[in-house]
Amino acid sequence: MYKEKLPYSQSALILGISSIVTACCCWGVIGIILGIIGLNNANKAIRIHEEDPDIFDGINNAQTGRTTAIIGIVVGVLSMIWHIYILSTGDYQVLFEEFNNMSDEY
């Protein structure tokens, strides 16, 4: 018997992975947004699969997408809090100068 692909499962996985990558690079904001969308898609896919598990295949993508989306949201929030702290304490200039000194050595 042929099973259909589970709707939203592949997009949940892609968005979850993208949220982790962008949470590390883009001040955390884009990672949080992609993580929330990915988590929403994963929950939709899991809900569809629970209604009729014999029809759909791909629940692993949805579960992995949910996990990666949660990780992306957490990393994004931590990154955003860290950036706000660095900017509010004035340590950003010190961090930037240290980075320039390290790049000049190479």
Side-chain angles (χ1 to χ4, degrees):
M1 182 173 154
Y2 176 74
K3 291 186 175 185
E4 295 181 38
K5 282 188 173 182
L6 185 62
Y8 303 108
S9 65
Q10 191 168 6
S11 64
L13 181 61
I14 292 169
L15 287 167
I17 294 169
S18 299
S19 72
I20 294 173
V21 172
T22 56
C24 298
C25 301
C26 304
W27 292 63
V29 177
I30 296 174
I32 292 171
I33 293 169
L34 291 178
I36 290 171
I37 295 170
L39 186 61
N40 187 28
N41 282 354
N43 289 336
K44 283 182 192 177
I46 291 170
R47 204 173 313 119
I48 290 170
H49 185 267
E50 286 175 351
E51 288 176 5
D52 201 355
D54 296 331
I55 295 176
F56 298 107
D57 186 29
I59 189 66
N60 293 335
N61 284 346
Q63 292 170 339
T64 306
R66 175 193 268 178
T67 304
T68 55
I70 291 170
I71 292 170
I73 291 170
V74 170
V75 170
V77 167
L78 291 175
S79 175
M80 195 166 54
I81 289 171
W82 183 76
H83 279 96
I84 290 170
Y85 171 76
I86 292 295
L87 287 173
S88 66
T89 59
D91 290 340
Y92 196 78
Q93 186 66 26
V94 174
L95 188 66
F96 187 69
E97 289 173 5
E98 191 174 311
F99 175 76
N100 281 337
N101 291 337
M102 288 175 55
S103 63
D104 288 341
E105 291 177 7
Y106 294 106

